[in-house]
Amino acid sequence: MRISNYLLATLKEAPAEAAIDSHKLMIRAGMVRKLASGVYTWLPTGKRILKKVEDIVRREMDATGALEFLATMVQPAELWVESQRYNSYGDNLLKFKDRKQSDFVLGPTHEEVFTYQIKQEVNSYRQLPLNAYQIQTKFRDETRPRFGILRTREFIMMDAYSFDTSWQNMEKVYNSMEQAYNKIFTECGLKFRAVDADNGSMGGSGSKEFQVLAQAGEDVIAYCENSDYAANLEKAPAIPSSTRQAPTQEMRKVATPNVATIEELVDFSKGELDAAHTIKLVVVNGKTQEHPLVAIALRGDHTLNEVKAEKHPLIASPVTLAHPELVNQVFGAKVGSLGVLNCPVYLIADDTAATVSDFATGANETNFHLYGVNWDRDAKFNETFDIRNAEEGDPSPCGKGVLSLTRGCECGHIFMLGDKYSRAFNFTVTDENGQNIYPVMGCYGIGVTRVVAAAIEQNHDEYGCTLPDALVPFLVGLIPVNYNKSEVVKEFVDNLYNELPKQHEVYFDDRSERLGVALADADLLGVPYQFIIGEKNLQQGNVEFKDRRTGEKQLLTIEQAKEKAKTLLANYQA
Amino acid sequence: MRISNYLLATLKEAPAEAAIDSHKLMIRAGMVRKLASGVYTWLPTGKRILKKVEDIVRREMDATGALEFLATMVQPAELWVESQRYNSYGDNLLKFKDRKQSDFVLGPTHEEVFTYQIKQEVNSYRQLPLNAYQIQTKFRDETRPRFGILRTREFIMMDAYSFDTSWQNMEKVYNSMEQAYNKIFTECGLKFRAVDADNGSMGGSGSKEFQVLAQAGEDVIAYCENSDYAANLEKAPAIPSSTRQAPTQEMRKVATPNVATIEELVDFSKGELDAAHTIKLVVVNGKTQEHPLVAIALRGDHTLNEVKAEKHPLIASPVTLAHPELVNQVFGAKVGSLGVLNCPVYLIADDTAATVSDFATGANETNFHLYGVNWDRDAKFNETFDIRNAEEGDPSPCGKGVLSLTRGCECGHIFMLGDKYSRAFNFTVTDENGQNIYPVMGCYGIGVTRVVAAAIEQNHDEYGCTLPDALVPFLVGLIPVNYNKSEVVKEFVDNLYNELPKQHEVYFDDRSERLGVALADADLLGVPYQFIIGEKNLQQGNVEFKDRRTGEKQLLTIEQAKEKAKTLLANYQA
């Protein structure tokens, strides 16, 4: 590609509203432009990357035997009424009427459409398994579109829906999707983890997220260095690192004026206590009439995991703190001085909190704490429960080491859906015995546009993008010095360009820009293999080669340079 | 592709509402399914064809140097207000509000978005020419979606927008687009014509339609067999085939009771008159105060061309017939007895009507006609105008023969747009002299989904689709006889399948269907090269080969068959 015929659209500055690096760089490198809140136009450089992601996704999905469909963005509202999501999906579901006043939605996802369509075509177990996929545009009317391309309103997804005769058969497809996703993210050249995930509102059970590791990610991932264990922090089990020791201290009451937090308590103790030997009480609203309040005992340095808490049968969902006045009334003490002794409400001890001995806790008397408290001897809980967030250094559930934490962008998700939608649409097939059964579904998604942003989030430096080869907008750069002034340079580089295979992968900067501008633009886009061609070097038989990612430069002979450029292009897969 | 793992979804019957062959066949062959009025889901067989069209379009657009973008389906309403099309576009423009009550539309086309986006990026003549294209989903809220995939509400288009510094430069891009379109439709293997078109509501001047020839097409095309002249009938000049002869008859008045149409007049004359020697008068509403009514004289066997009429400065647009009561009052005679003698309103004679001599026409006296009338001698017109539809056999404007008529589906359109949108968006660039100029635009569209339907409309027979190789869902069919009963057949065909390149292009019918069903399905999809593999033939060293389009069958030796299948696949471009 001769850049003089291209729309480079690079910018020195990113707009002020761009908060994260991928957003800044995608604007600066001329990949996307905002048209409206959460609505972006892809310019040529962005579209080139997007197409590479799409091609990889399509190739690997086809390889699994999944069949490509194409559904529409506009969906009849009836389908959403039938699945009972028309209201429950919330305002992200954009509703509108057509000219005949019929109700429609812009599809945020396609479970309804695919269940409905496949029901028309499939009536026998002989036609299953079937895994239908599409690469298609979605719209979710997010309240706060943000982080550039990471969370837009209109975006492209690969979404797949599998239909099987049994849970076991669905799991086979689910596993093949997991393998395909691993291949896809590997081929993209990304560092990622497949992590156990909470199902959220999808229904069904069993799901994994594919998290592209990046500091700007919205998710925290707990993983083990010694195994492939990884889970969303929302779901990662928090395992005690030891069992409870026998008491060594007597319990005593200490006046702790104005101490209301664990940090203040530790400070107040002047070294006698550490946070790991304190127990705090969190009082939340219950779900049952019998237990309108529920107390949760956590180690002082731990945090409540709300997703886990919401799974407890006595705790109201979503989790809400009890009103301080009510707590004061029931406990006879202010929040800040609550403790586990003679707890007046149902007490759940976090699994790890239950292993602490000789701990400090509130005295249930304002401005007093108890030191040297021990479970059983001094205080009792109603039950133990894994209810906290896992922490760096906790034992990994895999048994092979401890957990580390990192951040990630969720770019893929696979779900075991079960028969929620086949039941909603009364979609049955006859099984081998002639009985009607509801097909068991899985659903699988990859945020195709989001992958581009996550890839840049993970792969960039102070000069711009450092995307892996599979996703670069151009593979090889030809950057002549004084192209429009030096006959020698012009002739050489024109000839070289004409000799190269796959010219559409060549970033040939034939503009009349200053060399500094040319180099900065190539680095901003992240052209990985750059040949800088100047008259002086040429006259000595040399061409400068620069590796964009390492920044290393070397002089090659003309022949070496030609050979290198040709080989890079010839071997390029995209 | 093993068909046992595929979703064939073929049907014996098409739904009653399918009126045209492509609609019937696309349903019956399992290519598409209706989800709502004008909203269709593409099933795997349809998607395979669609992708081939997309790939051809993208390849040829890229080859012209056009740059691929991707805009969104959701567009802010402000852009349409700015171009003054928000109201004038009509109800096909679907409007809605997002959760924040901001106004948006679903894009029916993207002139506004591209002019707006390119304005942000381009400010100098040095950055032009620029031709931005996308392959993207549109929505037009048609009153009457019909003809299956030929006229849907949600559909896929390739749309391109070019920006140039002058009309001449725009014409260069326009011409390169015309060439690219010719390549695209030729590569698709379609019979088509690039025809001069009326601009309709697009503004600008100069446009060509690419019409895929097919009987069910909505457009009539006039073309010359001896040249490449072709035009939409709306625009084709209607040229008289001879000049006016001298009068040979005297004028006489004839009582014609109950004669109100030309057909009735010819019948009534019992052989004395033919329609080519009659002149009818069409009275329409005028556009000016001076001429509230305008009369148009047409040869009795000719029809009014409304598009031409609307271009006449005295005729109201859209063309409407004058009220019969008013006509009666002004002419003193009923419609049916109107004539050209002493015409009380402005009279436009069609170019051809003006060449007729010795003709019959109404007497402007109810139930009377005049025979043997001649222009000049008996009657006068105010002017002549090309205002009728061209007919089969009329002289071609190219001067190389006569016109033929055929029907076509408009699948592509190229327009010279001018500066309508650059002015609307106040988009200027500096020219070589530092002056601000409005870029001159062209716009170019191909209905990608429509091409699939038009291709089937053009290429089908009583058994199903006969698409050209470039667009078939599968190129080679392997149709074993008793695959699940005959070990010999199974082993042979499994091995053959495994030896073939491009297996995704192989329709391997490994189902347990009866042979009749298998052959009918392969014919319905239009698999062009079918190998029918039976035990008896195999034992004699033979395989049956069938050419789907001609229906010809021949016995090949096993080696010939293998070689033929491999060669067909290896040479296949898609």
Side-chain angles (χ1 to χ4, degrees):
Chain A
M1 177 70 73
R2 282 180 178 266
I3 300 305
S4 63
N5 297 334
Y6 189 70
L7 184 70
L8 206 49
T10 51
L11 298 173
K12 286 229 172 61
E13 303 289 339
E17 65 171 12
I20 62 169
D21 290 337
S22 63
H23 190 187
K24 289 177 189 164
L25 285 171
M26 290 182 77
I27 301 286
R28 287 191 52 219
M31 295 176 184
V32 295
R33 287 295 183 264
K34 182 171 152 179
L35 183 66
S37 172
V39 177
Y40 285 81
T41 299
W42 290 74
L43 305 187
T45 301
K47 183 66 177 79
R48 295 173 70 89
I49 304 173
L50 190 59
K51 183 161 189 309
K52 292 185 183 184
V53 176
E54 274 188 35
D55 288 349
I56 291 170
V57 170
R58 177 174 286 114
R59 185 165 64 234
E60 292 304 333
M61 288 301 293
D62 285 344
T64 68
L67 299 175
E68 188 170 0
F69 287 60
L70 182 64
T72 51
M73 191 156 160
V74 169
Q75 305 181 358
E78 299 100 280
L79 295 179
W80 288 75
V81 172
E82 201 158 342
S83 71
Q84 301 191 323
R85 292 208 291 182
Y86 190 58
N87 293 315
S88 70
Y89 198 91
D91 285 344
N92 277 7
L93 182 66
L94 194 138
K95 301 166 182 174
F96 64 93
K97 287 180 189 294
D98 72 359
R99 70 193 292 160
K100 291 179 178 153
Q101 301 305 308
S102 302
D103 289 303
F104 285 88
V105 304
L106 288 186
T109 178
H110 280 69
E111 282 80 10
E112 281 79 0
V113 167
F114 274 84
T115 309
Y116 170 81
Q117 292 288 18
I118 299 300
K119 178 187 173 183
Q120 318 301 313
E121 310 306 326
V122 170
N123 52 37
S124 161
Y125 74 96
R126 286 195 194 86
Q127 294 170 278
L128 302 182
L130 176 68
N131 191 10
Y133 86 93
Q134 63 176 347
I135 298 176
Q136 192 260 2
T137 305
K138 313 271 180 237
F139 191 89
R140 292 181 190 167
D141 198 5
E142 303 266 359
T143 331
R144 289 196 305 132
R146 56 192 183 280
F147 304 142
I149 296 300
L150 277 184
R151 188 170 292 274
T152 57
R153 294 198 290 175
E154 184 167 332
F155 58 97
I156 296 175
M157 260 186 85
M158 185 293 292
D159 47 327
Y161 307 89
S162 71
F163 299 85
D164 277 282
T165 50
S166 69
W167 192 273
Q168 289 82 345
N169 287 338
M170 178 271 286
E171 283 188 359
K172 284 183 209 160
V173 179
Y174 177 91
N175 292 335
S176 79
M177 284 295 100
E178 182 173 353
Q179 286 170 27
Y181 277 36
N182 276 311
K183 278 193 198 163
I184 287 167
F185 289 103
T186 303
E187 277 186 52
C188 285
L190 298 174
K191 294 184 277 294
F192 69 98
R193 292 224 167 226
V195 311
D196 289 336
D198 185 69
N199 277 336
S201 58
M202 289 300 295
S205 61
S207 84
K208 280 198 173 177
E209 290 167 0
F210 285 74
Q211 294 273 0
V212 171
L213 304 184
Q215 278 312 312
E218 291 182 84
D219 292 293
V220 179
I221 304 154
Y223 67 99
C224 177
E225 296 277 9
N226 306 328
S227 75
D228 63 358
Y229 177 80
N232 194 306
L233 186 63
E234 290 178 347
K235 200 180 182 181
I239 300 173
S241 46
S242 59
T243 54
R244 176 142 52 95
Q245 305 296 308
T248 63
Q249 300 176 8
E250 290 305 305
M251 183 170 79
R252 61 196 168 102
K253 186 159 141 188
V254 179
T256 50
N258 300 322
V259 167
T261 67
I262 294 296
E263 198 180 2
E264 286 164 1
L265 179 62
V266 170
D267 281 355
F268 179 86
S269 77
K270 300 205 159 58
E272 187 178 347
L273 298 173
D274 60 13
H277 285 86
T278 65
I279 298 290
K280 62 186 171 191
L281 214 63
V282 179
V283 186
V284 298
N285 291 305
K287 178 185 270 178
T288 63
Q289 274 201 321
E290 200 185 349
H291 299 293
L293 295 183
V294 174
I296 302 164
L298 293 168
R299 215 171 76 178
D301 55 342
H302 286 162
T303 52
L304 181 67
N305 180 312
E306 297 189 7
V307 173
K308 293 179 181 176
E310 284 165 12
K311 290 195 177 136
H312 192 283
L314 294 181
I315 296 175
S317 174
V319 175
T320 47
L321 288 179
H323 194 284
E325 282 304 314
L326 179 62
V327 172
N328 197 355
Q329 209 178 328
V330 172
F331 282 76
K334 283 194 184 162
V335 173
S337 297
L338 305 184
V340 298
L341 245 76
N342 304 320
C343 178
V345 303
Y346 193 91
L347 177 58
I348 300 166
D350 170 62
D351 283 347
T352 307
T355 67
V356 185
S357 54
D358 296 332
F359 58 81
T361 188
N364 288 335
E365 187 181 340
T366 303
N367 289 334
F368 285 91
H369 278 77
L370 298 169
Y371 286 19
V373 182
N374 281 277
W375 292 113
D376 294 342
R377 187 190 72 181
D378 308 319
K380 296 209 160 28
F381 43 72
N382 293 86
E383 64 168 311
T384 60
F385 199 75
D386 173 10
I387 203 163
R388 69 172 173 95
N389 286 314
E391 302 269 333
E392 193 110 24
D394 278 344
S396 170
C398 64
K400 295 183 181 158
V402 297
L403 290 179
S404 299
L405 298 185
T406 184
R407 299 191 78 87
C409 303
E410 182 198 335
C411 287
H413 210 148
I414 55 176
F415 290 100
M416 299 184 185
L417 255 187
D419 58 9
K420 174 177 168 177
Y421 293 94
S422 44
R423 278 184 189 275
F425 285 88
N426 195 26
F427 169 25
T428 60
V429 297
T430 51
D431 70 6
E432 289 170 354
N433 307 314
Q435 303 295 310
N436 284 335
I437 56 168
Y438 293 107
V440 179
M441 290 173 60
C443 73
Y444 318 96
I446 290 181
V448 175
T449 39
R450 183 183 276 192
V451 165
V452 177
I456 291 171
E457 204 56 60
Q458 182 183 85
N459 298 283
H460 66 274
D461 62 17
E462 58 190 304
Y463 306 109
C465 302
T466 57
L467 284 166
D469 282 2
L471 303 187
V472 290
F474 298 95
L475 187 76
V476 164
L478 298 186
I479 303 171
V481 186
N482 292 325
Y483 175 74
N484 289 305
K485 292 180 190 158
S486 162
E487 276 296 321
V488 179
V489 168
K490 185 174 191 313
E491 193 185 336
F492 176 84
V493 74
D494 281 349
N495 287 337
L496 175 55
Y497 180 63
N498 290 332
E499 285 173 26
L500 292 177
K502 297 183 191 159
Q503 285 185 346
H504 56 278
E505 285 295 338
V506 178
Y507 177 95
F508 175 13
D509 192 348
D510 61 341
R511 298 176 297 167
S512 312
E513 293 287 352
R514 286 183 298 108
L515 182 60
V517 171
L519 293 172
D521 278 341
D523 282 358
L524 181 55
L525 268 68
V527 182
Y529 308 106
Q530 302 177 9
F531 296 86
I532 299 141
I533 298 146
E535 187 168 310
K536 203 170 153 194
N537 276 334
L538 274 187
Q539 281 162 347
Q540 293 168 354
N542 293 329
V543 163
E544 186 177 294
F545 171 77
K546 177 173 141 190
D547 181 313
R548 160 68 182 92
R549 297 189 191 97
T550 64
E552 276 172 36
K553 295 176 185 178
Q554 59 181 128
L555 276 187
L556 302 178
T557 67
I558 286 174
E559 277 316 303
Q560 285 170 334
K562 284 186 180 181
E563 188 56 31
K564 189 172 184 89
K566 285 180 195 172
T567 307
L568 282 164
L569 288 162
N571 294 340
Y572 191 52
Q573 286 284 342
Chain B
M1 176 71 71
R2 282 181 178 265
I3 299 306
S4 63
N5 298 333
Y6 188 70
L7 184 71
L8 205 50
T10 50
L11 298 174
K12 285 229 174 62
E13 303 288 338
E17 65 171 12
I20 62 169
D21 290 337
S22 64
H23 190 189
K24 289 177 189 165
L25 285 171
M26 291 182 77
I27 302 285
R28 286 192 52 218
M31 294 176 183
V32 295
R33 288 295 184 261
K34 182 171 153 179
L35 184 66
S37 171
V39 177
Y40 285 80
T41 300
W42 289 74
L43 305 186
T45 300
K47 183 68 176 81
R48 294 173 71 88
I49 303 173
L50 190 58
K51 180 158 191 312
K52 291 185 184 184
V53 177
E54 274 188 36
D55 289 349
I56 291 170
V57 170
R58 177 175 286 113
R59 184 164 68 234
E60 291 304 331
M61 288 301 293
D62 285 345
T64 67
L67 300 174
E68 188 171 0
F69 286 61
L70 182 65
T72 50
M73 191 156 161
V74 169
Q75 305 181 359
E78 298 99 281
L79 296 179
W80 287 76
V81 173
E82 202 157 342
S83 71
Q84 301 191 321
R85 290 208 293 181
Y86 190 58
N87 292 316
S88 71
Y89 198 89
D91 286 343
N92 277 7
L93 182 66
L94 194 138
K95 301 165 181 175
F96 64 93
K97 287 179 189 295
D98 73 356
R99 70 192 293 160
K100 289 177 179 154
Q101 300 304 307
S102 301
D103 289 304
F104 285 87
V105 304
L106 289 186
T109 178
H110 280 69
E111 281 81 10
E112 282 79 1
V113 167
F114 275 83
T115 309
Y116 170 82
Q117 293 288 18
I118 299 300
K119 177 187 173 182
Q120 318 301 311
E121 310 306 326
V122 169
N123 52 37
S124 160
Y125 73 95
R126 286 193 196 84
Q127 294 170 276
L128 301 183
L130 176 67
N131 191 9
Y133 86 94
Q134 62 176 348
I135 298 176
Q136 191 260 3
T137 304
K138 312 272 180 240
F139 192 88
R140 291 181 190 167
D141 198 5
E142 302 267 358
T143 332
R144 290 195 304 135
R146 58 193 182 279
F147 304 142
I149 296 300
L150 278 184
R151 186 171 294 274
T152 57
R153 293 198 288 176
E154 183 165 332
F155 58 95
I156 297 175
M157 259 185 86
M158 184 293 292
D159 47 327
Y161 307 89
S162 71
F163 300 84
D164 275 282
T165 51
S166 68
W167 192 273
Q168 289 82 349
N169 287 337
M170 178 273 286
E171 284 188 359
K172 284 184 208 159
V173 178
Y174 176 90
N175 291 334
S176 78
M177 284 295 101
E178 181 175 350
Q179 286 170 27
Y181 277 36
N182 276 311
K183 278 193 198 161
I184 287 166
F185 289 103
T186 303
E187 277 186 52
C188 285
L190 298 175
K191 293 183 279 293
F192 69 98
R193 292 225 166 222
V195 310
D196 288 337
D198 186 68
N199 277 334
S201 58
M202 290 298 296
S205 62
S207 82
K208 278 197 176 180
E209 290 167 358
F210 285 73
Q211 294 274 359
V212 171
L213 304 184
Q215 277 312 313
E218 292 183 84
D219 292 294
V220 179
I221 304 154
Y223 68 99
C224 177
E225 296 280 6
N226 305 327
S227 76
D228 63 358
Y229 176 79
N232 194 305
L233 186 63
E234 290 178 346
K235 203 182 179 181
I239 299 174
S241 45
S242 58
T243 53
R244 177 144 52 95
Q245 304 297 306
T248 65
Q249 300 178 5
E250 291 303 306
M251 183 172 81
R252 60 193 167 104
K253 187 161 142 187
V254 178
T256 50
N258 300 319
V259 167
T261 67
I262 295 296
E263 197 181 1
E264 286 163 0
L265 180 62
V266 170
D267 281 354
F268 179 86
S269 78
K270 299 207 158 59
E272 187 179 346
L273 298 173
D274 61 12
H277 285 87
T278 64
I279 298 290
K280 62 187 170 189
L281 213 63
V282 179
V283 185
V284 299
N285 290 306
K287 179 184 269 177
T288 62
Q289 276 200 317
E290 199 186 348
H291 298 294
L293 295 183
V294 175
I296 301 164
L298 293 168
R299 215 171 76 178
D301 54 340
H302 286 161
T303 53
L304 181 68
N305 181 312
E306 297 189 5
V307 172
K308 292 179 182 177
E310 284 165 11
K311 290 193 178 137
H312 192 284
L314 294 182
I315 296 175
S317 174
V319 175
T320 46
L321 288 179
H323 194 284
E325 283 305 313
L326 179 61
V327 172
N328 198 354
Q329 210 178 329
V330 172
F331 281 75
K334 282 193 185 162
V335 173
S337 297
L338 305 184
V340 298
L341 244 79
N342 304 317
C343 180
V345 304
Y346 193 91
L347 176 59
I348 299 166
D350 170 62
D351 283 346
T352 307
T355 68
V356 184
S357 54
D358 296 332
F359 57 82
T361 187
N364 288 335
E365 185 181 342
T366 303
N367 288 334
F368 285 90
H369 278 77
L370 297 169
Y371 286 21
V373 182
N374 281 277
W375 293 114
D376 294 342
R377 188 191 71 184
D378 309 318
K380 298 213 162 21
F381 42 72
N382 294 84
E383 64 170 308
T384 59
F385 199 75
D386 173 10
I387 203 162
R388 69 170 173 98
N389 286 312
E391 302 269 331
E392 192 110 27
D394 278 344
S396 171
C398 64
K400 295 184 182 158
V402 297
L403 290 179
S404 299
L405 298 186
T406 185
R407 299 191 78 89
C409 303
E410 182 198 334
C411 287
H413 210 147
I414 56 177
F415 291 100
M416 299 184 184
L417 255 187
D419 58 9
K420 173 177 170 178
Y421 293 95
S422 46
R423 279 184 189 273
F425 286 88
N426 196 25
F427 168 27
T428 60
V429 298
T430 52
D431 70 6
E432 289 170 353
N433 307 314
Q435 302 297 309
N436 284 333
I437 55 168
Y438 293 106
V440 180
M441 292 174 59
C443 73
Y444 319 95
I446 290 180
V448 176
T449 38
R450 183 182 277 194
V451 166
V452 178
I456 291 172
E457 203 56 60
Q458 182 182 88
N459 299 282
H460 67 275
D461 61 17
E462 57 188 305
Y463 306 109
C465 303
T466 56
L467 284 166
D469 283 3
L471 303 187
V472 290
F474 298 94
L475 187 74
V476 164
L478 299 186
I479 303 171
V481 186
N482 292 325
Y483 176 73
N484 288 306
K485 290 182 191 157
S486 162
E487 275 299 321
V488 179
V489 169
K490 185 173 192 313
E491 194 185 337
F492 176 83
V493 73
D494 281 349
N495 287 338
L496 175 56
Y497 181 62
N498 291 332
E499 285 173 29
L500 292 177
K502 300 185 189 156
Q503 284 185 346
H504 55 278
E505 285 294 341
V506 179
Y507 177 94
F508 176 12
D509 191 348
D510 61 342
R511 299 176 298 167
S512 313
E513 293 288 353
R514 285 183 298 109
L515 181 61
V517 171
L519 293 173
D521 279 342
D523 283 357
L524 181 55
L525 268 70
V527 182
Y529 308 106
Q530 303 178 8
F531 296 85
I532 299 141
I533 298 148
E535 188 168 311
K536 201 169 151 195
N537 275 334
L538 274 186
Q539 281 163 345
Q540 293 169 353
N542 294 329
V543 163
E544 185 177 293
F545 171 77
K546 176 173 141 189
D547 181 313
R548 161 69 182 93
R549 295 187 192 99
T550 64
E552 275 173 37
K553 295 175 184 177
Q554 60 182 128
L555 276 187
L556 301 178
T557 67
I558 286 174
E559 276 318 302
Q560 285 171 333
K562 283 186 181 180
E563 189 55 32
K564 188 171 187 90
K566 285 180 195 171
T567 307
L568 281 165
L569 289 162
N571 293 341
Y572 192 52
Q573 287 283 341

